[in-house]
Amino acid sequence: MFLQLNQVGKVFTDDTKQSSFEVFSGVDLSIPENQFVSILGPSGCGKSTLLSMVAGLEHPTEGSISLEDEEIKKPGPDRGMVFQQASLFPWLNVRDNITFPLKGKMSKKEANERADHFLKMVQLSKFKEHYIYELSGGMQQRVAIARALAMDPKVLLMDEPFGALDEQTRHILHDELVKIWQETQKTILFVTHSIHEAIKLSDRVVVMGTRPGRIIADFSIDMPRPRKRDDQEVIDMEKKVMDLLEGEINKVLKEELSNEVEYSN
């Protein structure tokens, strides 16, 4: 399998308080090449932590993660990451932001040509000389996507990349991301809180439960693209996923209310 998570678990330990917190355990997930997979679940289920471990930024406490049969132990150019905030260099213009991670890997001419190619793909060719503060939030995220793609990763990891944007901008970027994925055929692992976003974008939606984090469902989204909110298939799938998540969300709320009662006593 292209990307494989085998019995992955994560425990955070606080030595000062001599305590530990289990984020999730026993996570098995197999992702074939070129598939667009969304990870969906309530806060605290470990979605972003799981993505960070695929990126090599965090390490599993147990189990293993491998890409093309090579165990992931650190960050690498075979995995490109796009965060909720664009994390761009404000002192560089748009094209220089994209070419920055390419320095030393190719000539300046080749790097600029690659940057221009992906800027055209995200429809920002006219803004390549602009500085980051001159761009809207949606445009900044497009630059971040272009930068990740310019590194030619095997897997594109996206951690709620549209979470801070308004609804209209998100809608536009959803359509653009699908077009980019169809053109590049990258494997995409996408973390989101939005059921609609996951269903609209993905080939497959992996649903995680919480306390402890675990995979509770794995849905294949076999619908033609583009997908619209009022499509009956989309509506039916959203309800199916929401019914599944409702119990997990209620569990979290009950635990929080119980903790508040214990604290007040």
Side-chain angles (χ1 to χ4, degrees), residues 169-184:
T169 303
R170 287 179 73 164
H171 176 75
I172 293 169
L173 291 184
H174 286 164
D175 292 341
E176 288 192 6
L177 180 58
V178 169
K179 290 176 183 176
I180 290 168
W181 169 75
Q182 289 173 330
E183 184 173 340
T184 63

Side-chain angles (χ1 to χ4, degrees), residues 126-213:
K126 295 180 180 179
F127 295 88
K128 63 184 177 183
E129 302 297 336
H130 284 58
Y131 286 88
I132 301 307
Y133 65 85
E134 298 178 290
L135 307 181
S136 67
M139 293 167 76
Q140 290 180 24
Q141 281 299 67
R142 281 192 259 170
V143 175
I145 292 169
R147 181 176 62 181
L149 289 171
M151 296 176 67
D152 195 25
K154 295 176 181 177
V155 182
L156 186 60
L157 306 169
M158 309 187 80
D159 191 3
E160 297 192 67
F162 310 137
L165 305 177
D166 62 85
E167 187 67 23
Q168 184 177 358
T169 303
R170 287 179 73 164
H171 176 75
I172 293 169
L173 291 184
H174 286 164
D175 292 341
E176 288 192 6
L177 180 58
V178 169
K179 290 176 183 176
I180 290 168
W181 169 75
Q182 289 173 330
E183 184 173 340
T184 63
Q185 284 296 290
K186 293 294 181 186
T187 304
I188 295 181
L189 193 55
F190 187 99
V191 163
T192 179
H193 279 99
S194 168
I195 296 173
H196 176 71
E197 183 170 68
I199 292 170
K200 182 178 181 180
L201 294 175
S202 312
D203 295 319
R204 182 176 164 201
V205 175
V206 175
V207 183
M208 292 187 69
T210 190
R211 314 286 172 87

Side-chain angles (χ1 to χ4, degrees), residues 101-113:
L102 303 177
K103 288 181 178 179
K105 298 180 175 65
M106 61 187 69
S107 69
K108 183 176 180 180
K109 180 176 181 293
E110 289 173 319
N112 285 339
E113 287 175 352

Side-chain angles (χ1 to χ4, degrees), residues 6 17 29 85 128 134 217 233:
N6 182 39
K17 297 181 180 179
L29 185 61
Q85 300 299 328
K128 63 184 177 183
E134 298 178 290
E233 282 185 290

Side-chain angles (χ1 to χ4, degrees), residues 7-23:
Q7 287 293 296
V8 173
K10 182 65 177 179
V11 176
F12 286 115
T13 302
D14 187 336
D15 293 331
T16 60
K17 297 181 180 179
Q18 294 185 330
S19 63
S20 61
F21 172 69
E22 184 180 46
V23 184

Side-chain angles (χ1 to χ4, degrees), residues 212-236:
R214 67 213 184 280
I215 293 175
I216 58 175
D218 191 338
F219 294 102
S220 176
I221 312 298
D222 187 17
M223 304 176 195
R225 293 179 171 91
R227 299 165 186 163
K228 299 180 181 179
R229 185 178 289 275
D230 57 357
D231 289 344
Q232 191 58 49
E233 282 185 290
V234 172
I235 293 170
D236 292 343

